[in-house]
Amino acid sequence: DAGITQSPRHKVTETGTPVTLRCHQTENHRYMYWYRQDPGHGLRLIHYSYGVKDTDKGEVSDGYSVSRSKTEDFLLTLESATSSQTSVYFCATKKTGLAGGPYNEQFFGPGTRLTVL
Amino acid sequence: EDKVVQSPLSLVVHEGDTVTLNCSYEVTNFRSLLWYKQEKKAPTFLFMLTSSGIEKKSGRLSSILDKKELFSILNITATQTGDSAVYLCAASPSYGANSKLTFGKGITLSVRP
């Protein structure tokens, strides 16, 4: 795996509070991703990053923001958490190929279970 | 919109059985098809297929891609209880800075002793 850690691993919070999840990788992979996984929906992409300070939206980005100030860290922020954001959140990374483009295998972190009451 | 559909959604077999898991895809500028295994934790990478008709094998698991019919199968022979997991497939478009995976919903495999 790509030495990916996520923190916290579990969090319970209340509706309306801000929440930040952290993804940290030690492999110097260029590409990083945030997914959420819900029953009946599989893995859905929230946001991704293709380099420091370069980020873009995925298919379920509403209510989430991200930041990447250095290669190893990718932060996901819920500005005002809602119950619909209760989910398991996975971070993933992907390395860059020799020609500068990415390989396609993504490596996943252990996940964060977030409950919004 | 890119789409990946897996079938069946769930499957129960007995140890020693052989199972076939299906994955069909519709992805613009398709490049590769990936299989992951997910137990009660993060998905772990199994295979990536980019060429049609070439089987990839790892122990009792094998997978093949058909780019003409737009599907892939994952076979598991002589199943064991440790094969119980959710199996995810994902399709990826051509390489590029914004290349992203589209995942199917997963197939839940239960292997009974």
Side-chain angles (χ1 to χ4, degrees):
Chain A
D1 70 38
I4 305 169
T5 57
Q6 293 184 230
S7 59
R9 295 291 314 280
H10 301 271
K11 186 170 182 67
V12 179
T13 192
E14 294 187 351
T15 298
T17 60
V19 176
T20 295
L21 308 183
R22 180 184 184 233
C23 177
H24 179 78
Q25 55 121 342
T26 59
E27 297 294 317
N28 201 36
H29 285 179
R30 177 180 173 186
Y31 300 88
M32 297 185 76
Y33 306 82
W34 276 108
Y35 292 91
R36 60 179 290 174
Q37 187 173 38
D38 306 287
H41 290 278
L43 281 161
R44 294 182 291 174
L45 182 65
I46 304 171
H47 280 281
Y48 64 100
S49 170
Y50 45 98
V52 173
K53 296 187 180 178
D54 291 323
T55 64
D56 206 347
K57 296 179 180 180
E59 63 177 298
V60 290
S61 59
D62 287 349
Y64 302 95
S65 62
V66 290
S67 65
R68 191 166 178 205
S69 59
K70 45 187 178 177
T71 299
E72 56 266 37
D73 289 326
F74 193 31
L75 304 181
L76 176 71
T77 297
L78 291 66
E79 301 289 348
S80 177
T82 68
S83 58
S84 65
Q85 294 176 311
T86 293
S87 186
V88 178
Y89 291 85
F90 287 103
C91 172
T93 72
K94 185 167 71 175
K95 64 183 178 180
T96 306
L98 292 175
Y103 289 95
N104 276 335
E105 306 99 291
Q106 292 185 15
F107 301 94
F108 285 82
T112 293
R113 184 172 294 276
L114 176 67
T115 302
V116 183
L117 301 176
Chain B
E1 183 180 326
D2 294 343
K3 187 167 65 172
V4 174
V5 177
Q6 294 186 248
S7 64
L9 290 182
S10 64
L11 195 55
V12 180
V13 301
H14 288 96
E15 273 192 315
D17 289 349
T18 294
V19 298
T20 298
L21 310 181
N22 303 295
C23 176
S24 64
Y25 62 90
E26 294 175 26
V27 172
T28 304
N29 296 323
F30 172 81
R31 174 64 181 174
S32 57
L33 191 290
L34 294 86
W35 285 95
Y36 287 83
K37 177 182 182 181
Q38 185 177 25
E39 296 168 272
K40 293 190 182 295
K41 48 186 180 178
T44 54
F45 174 73
L46 293 175
F47 298 112
M48 184 174 77
L49 304 113
T50 57
S51 300
S52 204
I54 298 177
E55 185 181 52
K56 291 217 171 179
K57 293 195 73 169
S58 177
R60 296 176 293 102
L61 277 66
S62 63
S63 184
I64 198 161
L65 176 67
D66 185 328
K67 292 170 77 172
K68 182 179 177 184
E69 300 297 331
L70 308 183
F71 76 90
S72 174
I73 60 173
L74 175 67
N75 280 320
I76 308 174
T77 59
T79 53
Q80 302 172 357
T81 55
D83 295 325
S84 296
V86 175
Y87 291 85
L88 300 165
C89 81
S92 178
S94 298
Y95 297 141
N98 301 334
S99 175
K100 302 184 290 290
L101 294 179
T102 299
F103 282 86
K105 294 182 180 180
I107 297 172
T108 301
L109 174 64
S110 299
V111 182
R112 299 276 168 83

